[in-house]
Each structure stands twice: as C-alpha cells, then as structure tokens.
Amino acid sequence: MKTGFLTAAGLAAALVLSGCGGKDDVQGKTGEDITAKSSAKDIGEAYINEMTRIADALEGVDDEASAKSAAKKIKVAVDGLNQMSEELDGEISGVKGMQIFGGRYAELVQVQGRIATSMIRIQSEHPELMDTISAEMDRMEN
C-alpha cells in the first residue's frame, strides 16, 4: 500500500493527462468528451473538471460511508482521466502543455492544492479511510 502522502504528492504533481468520466456532477467538458482532435482549450477544461471532481469528493470524506461515496466519484474521474490519456496517446509536448494549461495555470494549481490538502487531512485525521480512497487514486495513469 502506498502512503497517503505519496498518493497526495503523486496526484498533486500529475500533469500527465488521462481520462474519461461522466457528466453527473460536472459542468462542461469531461474526459469522455476528449478525442485526439480536441482543442487545447477543451483538453484543459476536461482535465481541470475531472481533477475538480476528485477534489470535491475528497473534501467530503470524514467517515467510512463518505469515503466509499468519494471512492465511487473518484473512480469516475480517474476513468475519465485515463481514457483521455489513452485518446491522446499519453503524450503532451511542452508546447501543447503550455497551450492547454497556460491560461488556466492558477486553476490547475488551486485544484491540485485542494487534492493534496484533502489527502493530508484524511491521512492525519482518518488514516483508516486511506485504503478506500487510495485504491481508486492509485489507478490514475502517469
């Protein structure tokens, strides 16, 4: 089992695109909307939306029931991110990355910070819940 801190650090540092999802709780593009022909704007929107879905799920974790619920939501987001990565062949050049995130860098940093903060909070306040959450988080492709 990976520690919660390693998972949080790995996820917060993950800039490699992945993805698919569902629109159940997301406004705008999700990973399932992305194809190899998608614009940089759409890819960035989908990536940030899927990461926001993860952050939102993690912020509500405070007991076993909420951890299980969050794991289901994280699964959808990670599936979206992984599908997106496969669609884009897992490769985003430095220039393409700048196009995707250049104008949304502050948003990206904010959502990654939310994820890292939540993972650290859960690890310190509810370490017994980390297995439930980490199982889905660890599925994110690099």
Side-chain angles (χ1 to χ4, degrees):
M1 178 185 105
K2 296 179 182 176
T3 67
F5 289 109
L6 289 177
T7 301
L11 186 59
L15 291 177
V16 177
L17 295 177
S18 320
C20 167
K23 294 218 177 207
D24 59 342
D25 60 348
V26 174
Q27 297 292 318
K29 302 280 182 200
T30 63
E32 70 183 8
D33 297 319
I34 301 305
T35 68
K37 295 180 180 182
S38 293
S39 70
K41 179 181 181 232
D42 287 348
I43 295 168
E45 178 182 342
Y47 185 82
I48 289 173
N49 283 342
E50 296 294 16
M51 295 295 282
T52 299
R53 188 190 312 237
I54 293 169
D56 291 347
L58 290 171
E59 286 173 342
V61 173
D62 60 4
D63 59 20
E64 186 66 31
S66 61
K68 287 179 180 177
S69 176
K72 289 177 185 175
K73 293 174 184 175
I74 292 167
K75 179 188 184 320
V76 172
V78 169
D79 286 348
L81 291 168
N82 289 341
Q83 179 182 327
M84 195 163 64
S85 180
E86 289 172 21
E87 186 66 34
L88 299 171
D89 292 327
E91 267 190 55
I92 298 295
S93 68
V95 172
K96 182 80 169 179
M98 293 288 284
Q99 292 170 339
I100 292 169
F101 297 114
R104 301 188 81 160
Y105 185 72
E107 259 182 288
L108 179 63
V109 170
Q110 180 183 26
V111 74
Q112 289 176 332
R114 287 177 58 206
I115 291 169
T117 299
S118 291
M119 291 296 289
I120 291 166
R121 177 190 59 80
I122 295 165
Q123 176 64 36
S124 64
E125 294 176 8
H126 305 287
E128 72 281 5
L129 303 177
M130 287 305 297
D131 284 342
T132 303
I133 295 163
S134 293
E136 292 303 331
M137 300 282 284
D138 290 345
R139 292 179 45 252
M140 185 180 286
E141 296 174 4
N142 292 334

